[in-house]
Every structure is written in C-alpha cells, then in structure tokens.
C-alpha cells in the first residue's frame, strides 16, 4: 500500500506576504511626511537651494506613492476591497451597526466592512491622494497648475492626518480591549 504524501502548503500570494511590511512602510512614510511638513518651504516649485527637508519630503512622498499603490492592490485583491470600501459596493450596513454600537458603548469590529476598516480604506485613499497630488505638483513645478495642486495636496494631507488619528484611536481601543480580556 502506497503511503500518501501530504500536500505541500500553498504559499500565499506575494502581495499577501508583503502586506505587513507594506503596511509598516506606508505607516512610517505617512507619519514622517506629516511630521516633517512644517519644515517644507514649497509653493509652486522647490526652492533653490532645495535643502534636505524639501528633498527628503519629495523622495519619501514618491516612495509612499509607490508603496501605497502596491499596498492598495494587496488590500483590494480577492474581493477584499469590499471590506475597506463598503460604500463602493453599496453595502454600508456594517458601518451603520458599528456606529449604532459605538453610541451604545460597544467597540466597532475590525472586520466585515465595518467602521474601522472603512477608516482604514479612507486613510489609504487619503495617502494615495496626498502622494499623487504631491507627485503631480512636483512634475508641474513653476506652472499655474502647481499652485492648485499644492492646495489639493494640503487638503489630502490634512485628511490623511485626521484619518490617521482616528485609525490610531481605533487601534488603541482594540489593544486596550484585548488587554482587558
């Protein structure tokens, strides 16, 4: 009688394996970009001389755009986009239940397309919007479009800051709840 050989475990797709490192890279880049923004001196072009803060902001911004796009692709694969962007699929019932539960003193869930995954999805979109408008601003330096892109970049960066704060509050509440249990 032949012995059966157990099947080799299937390796997760590359984007799944990169999820943790990409999340960390995107988070660190976003925090660094927000924290360094008070030292940025750009309006419609990089100043001459640009200085380390302006050059580093632009370089980290381009890296954030690339890492954010790959991370977004990983988050969207296999239909998972419905978890982070339930409104795009027309299903915001879980978000409503989480908001109702929050009013009643219950923590929202971290899955099933609820409030916290919605915040994560919007945070990722804000990062991509800030990075894309920053990159576009960089490429049209010295033109009239640069000033308009700067304003859009600032709005996206502020949304990124607010959503990052909400995300951190959600993470902290769940860590606290985990420690209590």
């Amino acid at each position: 009688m032949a012995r059966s050989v157990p099947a080799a475990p299937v390796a997760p797709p590359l984007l799944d394996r990169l999820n943790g490192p990409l999340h960390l890279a995107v988070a660190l880049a976003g925090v660094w970009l927000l924290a360094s923004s008070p030292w940025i001196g750009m309006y419609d072009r990089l100043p001459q001389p640009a200085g380390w803060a302006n050059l580093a902001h632009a370089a980290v911004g381009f890296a954030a755009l690339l890492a954010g796009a790959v991370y977004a692709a990983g988050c969207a694969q296999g239909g998972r986009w419905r978890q982070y962007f339930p409104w795009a699929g027309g299903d915001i019932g879980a978000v409503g239940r989480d908001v109702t539960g929050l009013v009643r003193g219950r923590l929202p869930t971290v899955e099933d397309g609820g409030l916290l995954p919605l915040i994560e999805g919007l945070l990722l979109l804000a990062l991509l919007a800030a990075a894309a408008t920053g990159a576009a601003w960089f490429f049209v330096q010295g033109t009239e479009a640069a000033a308009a892109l700067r304003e859009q970049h600032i709005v996206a960066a502020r949304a990124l800051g607010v959503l990052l704060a909400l995300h951190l509050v959600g993470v902290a509440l769940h860590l606290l709840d985990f420690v209590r249990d």
Side-chain angles (χ1 to χ4, degrees):
M1 177 173 211
R3 290 179 56 182
S4 64
V5 177
V10 177
L14 179 62
L15 289 178
D16 279 346
R17 290 190 313 239
L18 293 176
N19 187 40
L22 283 170
H23 182 266
L24 179 62
V26 167
L28 291 175
V31 169
W32 190 89
L33 290 165
L34 288 170
S36 68
S37 63
W39 292 278
I40 304 305
M42 297 184 247
Y43 180 68
D44 69 342
R45 72 183 73 236
L46 281 171
Q48 293 302 321
W52 75 270
N54 291 317
L55 292 174
H57 190 84
V60 173
F62 278 112
L65 179 58
L66 177 62
V70 175
Y71 183 60
C75 288
Q77 73 180 1
R80 284 185 287 187
W81 63 270
R82 287 179 180 86
Q83 178 175 340
Y84 298 103
F85 312 108
W87 48 269
D91 181 18
I92 59 168
V95 174
R97 285 187 297 277
D98 279 353
V99 170
T100 302
L102 197 58
V103 170
R104 293 181 179 157
R106 289 191 313 260
L107 288 179
T109 64
V110 293
E111 50 208 27
D112 299 330
L115 181 62
L116 295 178
L118 172 70
I119 291 170
E120 288 180 74
L122 293 175
L123 175 60
L124 182 54
L125 289 180
L127 176 97
L128 290 171
T133 55
W137 177 21
F138 181 86
F139 287 120
V140 298
Q141 289 183 63
T143 67
E144 289 182 25
L149 283 166
R150 176 184 184 269
E151 295 306 315
Q152 293 170 4
H153 180 70
I154 290 170
V155 168
R158 287 180 179 160
L160 174 68
V162 168
L163 289 163
L164 179 60
L166 290 173
H167 178 59
L168 291 174
V169 166
V171 168
L173 287 173
H174 275 281
L175 286 175
L176 180 63
D177 192 45
F178 180 72
V179 170
R180 283 193 295 191
D181 287 344

